[in-house]
Amino acid sequence: MTVSSRTQVGIVGAGPAGLLLSYLLALRGIDSIVVENRSRAYCEARQRAGLLEAGSVELLRSVGLGERMDAEGLEHGGIYLQFEGERHHLDFRDLTGGRWVTIYAQTEIVKDLIQARLAAGATIEFEVSDTSVAGLDADRPVLRYTDSAGTRHQVSCDAIAGCDGFHGVCRDSMPPGLIQTAEREYPYSWLGILASVAPSTDELIYSRHPDGFALHTMRTRQVSRLYLQVPADEDIDRWPDERIWTELQHRLGIPGWELKEGPISEKAISPMRSFVAYPMRYRRLFLAGDAAHIVPPTGAKGLNLALADVTVLAKALTSLLQEGDADLVDAYSDTCLARVWRATHFSWWMTSMLHVDPNRDEFGAALQIAQLRYVISSRAAATTLAENYTGYFRLTWEP
Ligand SMILES: Cc1cc2nc3c(=O)[nH]c(=O)nc-3n(C[C@H](O)[C@H](O)[C@H](O)COP(=O)(O)OP(=O)(O)OC[C@H]3O[C@@H](n4cnc5c(N)ncnc54)[C@H](O)[C@@H]3O)c2cc1C
């Protein structure tokens, strides 16, 4: 038996994009349903991003999601760039007229959003299967899924948002030939760890070392997050904890500074990829977040782009569904892609400047050092990095 129902917006995916979209639509009095193929516990524990641009922070605050972030988040006014054995500080506030970034883990944003939506009586269907979207040429597209108890559902929607990440179903449901893609794969991956030890630094350290890139970031005052550049097809079993700490000490160490070690609670290897699919809309099906684009994490943009897309989408759907005005939905893809391509360039640029080419490229290595020296010695170059890192495009939400 199939249960039929109706909602205004069907949302596929309970990541940051899908959950924030559902939250923002509710602020405008628009109904939605969120379907998610993982469990709530899995979504709340999945280790991913942790750095918010100033605009993302301001957005979350302005819509009533700032309380725990303001209490527990760590505000950073800059980063360290390290190369050739020297560590240099970039002061974002000075360079950008006061902009900053905040460390607040994606897991916490997801928890805050799930808690807020469920407290408001919203429907989030976890552990669904066989999700599909259909009827895309009609005014009422249909979202189908099987719930965790095995009941098949068919939801008639005014619009569907594909917030289902890179491996979701919505992008591939677009009509054949509509979507174009632009892609770059990098010849290295990131081995990331979560360690139960206080961070050894007040702000992030990006280190270009001849043996590979390393990054020291953090999640809280008690939890450190560290990354190492490893070969693209690396096997995690080749990296026992002791080897990871030895390599981190080697790539991050400078005289007079100590990297504190602690128990590793999680480790994983992530591939590095740039990917943009466009347009991000077909009639009443909209793609948002990782469903439409992926950036390598060096620029810390993935989560911020996901939040930005759905802020634009929530405004556009409000105009469409409440005033019958299609101008903003017509502009949705182009509006998002301007920000996406800026972030894609910045993420590629940071990645290319800081990682070591496994194919031993002396010329490329010399260019990287020349670029890093330029960034730390030219106010104009440092400002370019700072304004992109803290968020080049403004993000607004009118109460
Ligand atoms: C391993 C990893 C590490 C990362 N690290 C960083 C980082 O350090 N810094 C940074 O800025 N960014 C990082 N990112 C990127 C950042 O986390 C993403 O950009 C962000 O999660 C995008 O949010 P989203 O909501 O668009 O997609 P997602 O968070 O991927 O959410 C999509 C949701 O859709 C669900 N879903 C998928 N298919 C279906 C289906 N058929 N039916 C129902 N539900 C479905 C998924 O289970 C998931 O919950 C990382 C990403 C990954 C994968």
Side-chain angles (χ1 to χ4, degrees):
M1 189 190 79
T2 299
V3 176
S4 297
S5 60
R6 157 126 190 81
T7 191
Q8 287 179 286
V9 182
I11 300 174
V12 186
L19 291 166
L20 182 63
L21 178 63
S22 162
Y23 183 93
L24 295 177
L25 291 172
L27 292 181
R28 295 288 189 252
I30 295 175
D31 287 340
S32 64
I33 177 177
V34 180
V35 300
E36 163 61 51
N37 59 10
R38 300 290 194 156
S39 68
R40 177 178 179 181
Y42 183 93
C43 291
E44 292 185 341
R46 186 169 35 198
Q47 289 303 324
R48 288 192 169 174
L51 192 141
L52 294 171
E53 294 175 356
S56 301
V57 171
E58 285 161 345
L59 172 89
L60 294 172
R61 270 185 198 145
S62 72
V63 300
L65 289 166
E67 197 179 322
R68 209 159 66 87
M69 176 181 69
D70 285 335
E72 297 174 21
L74 306 173
E75 202 171 291
H76 286 188
I79 56 168
Y80 297 97
L81 283 180
Q82 185 171 318
F83 56 98
E84 296 194 311
E86 304 163 14
R87 186 174 293 170
H88 303 268
H89 188 245
L90 292 190
D91 184 337
F92 291 162
R93 287 200 183 87
D94 173 48
L95 291 164
T96 63
R99 306 297 279 169
W100 78 98
V101 292
T102 292
I103 296 287
Y104 188 60
Q106 181 168 326
T107 47
E108 306 315 297
I109 294 176
V110 166
K111 282 181 205 161
D112 292 346
L113 280 163
I114 291 176
Q115 202 272 335
R117 293 305 295 130
L118 294 181
T123 307
I124 307 177
E125 289 266 24
F126 289 102
E127 298 181 74
V128 306
S129 52
D130 296 326
T131 314
S132 66
V133 295
L136 300 181
D137 287 313
D139 280 347
R140 292 263 160 81
V142 174
L143 169 62
R144 296 195 180 102
Y145 66 96
T146 302
D147 70 20
S148 57
T151 304
R152 190 80 184 142
H153 292 260
Q154 167 164 306
V155 188
S156 163
C157 308
D158 293 327
I160 294 179
C163 303
D164 49 350
F166 185 65
H167 300 288
V169 293
C170 291
R171 191 176 63 248
D172 289 343
S173 304
M174 298 281 203
L178 175 81
I179 294 272
Q180 300 193 52
T181 59
E183 192 165 7
R184 171 92 17 125
E185 293 210 358
Y186 300 86
Y188 30 76
S189 294
W190 272 18
L191 189 167
I193 63 162
L194 208 56
S196 306
V197 58
S200 306
T201 179
D202 56 341
E203 292 178 342
L204 275 63
I205 304 169
Y206 286 81
S207 174
R208 186 205 177 277
H209 188 279
D211 293 335
F213 171 72
L215 171 64
H216 186 341
T217 176
M218 62 207 71
R219 287 296 176 260
T220 66
R221 287 198 171 82
Q222 296 81 35
V223 178
S224 297
R225 180 95 166 130
L226 297 117
Y227 295 98
L228 285 168
Q229 175 187 344
V230 295
D233 53 357
E234 188 64 313
D235 179 357
I236 192 83
D237 291 340
R238 295 188 62 237
W239 289 87
D241 295 2
E242 203 182 296
R243 181 180 177 202
I244 293 174
W245 284 117
T246 302
E247 198 59 28
L248 285 167
Q249 297 283 3
H250 175 59
R251 296 190 199 174
L252 286 167
I254 52 167
W257 177 82
E258 187 202 350
L259 174 63
K260 288 175 273 189
E261 300 182 11
I264 295 177
S265 58
E266 180 156 332
K267 60 180 167 184
I269 292 181
S270 313
M272 307 276 279
R273 179 188 286 124
S274 298
F275 172 86
V276 183
Y278 52 96
M280 292 167 59
R281 171 205 181 195
Y282 176 68
R283 293 176 61 98
R284 286 176 176 243
L285 174 62
F286 301 84
L287 301 178
D290 278 18
H293 41 74
I294 299 277
V295 285
T298 327
K301 292 290 168 220
L303 170 60
N304 293 287
L305 286 177
L307 301 179
D309 284 354
V310 295
T311 304
V312 174
L313 184 55
K315 289 182 207 172
L317 288 174
T318 303
S319 279
L320 179 72
L321 301 180
Q322 293 187 336
E323 287 141 40
D325 182 347
D327 286 356
L328 292 180
V329 290
D330 288 346
Y332 169 72
S333 183
D334 288 346
T335 305
C336 290
L337 286 169
R339 181 193 298 268
V340 166
W341 275 113
R342 176 88 299 281
T344 299
H345 175 268
F346 177 67
S347 303
W348 164 85
W349 179 73
M350 286 283 282
T351 302
S352 310
M353 178 169 71
L354 288 161
H355 289 73
V356 173
D357 188 335
N359 301 313
R360 231 188 122 74
D361 173 9
E362 298 301 335
F363 178 75
L367 292 184
Q368 289 176 313
I369 299 297
Q371 182 63 30
L372 283 161
R373 290 238 164 262
Y374 181 47
V375 169
I376 54 115
S377 59
S378 153
R379 189 173 174 90
T383 303
T384 291
L385 190 154
E387 78 174 353
N388 279 279
Y389 198 96
T390 56
Y392 178 62
F393 285 85
R394 290 288 188 266
L395 198 55
T396 57
W397 179 265
E398 289 77 38

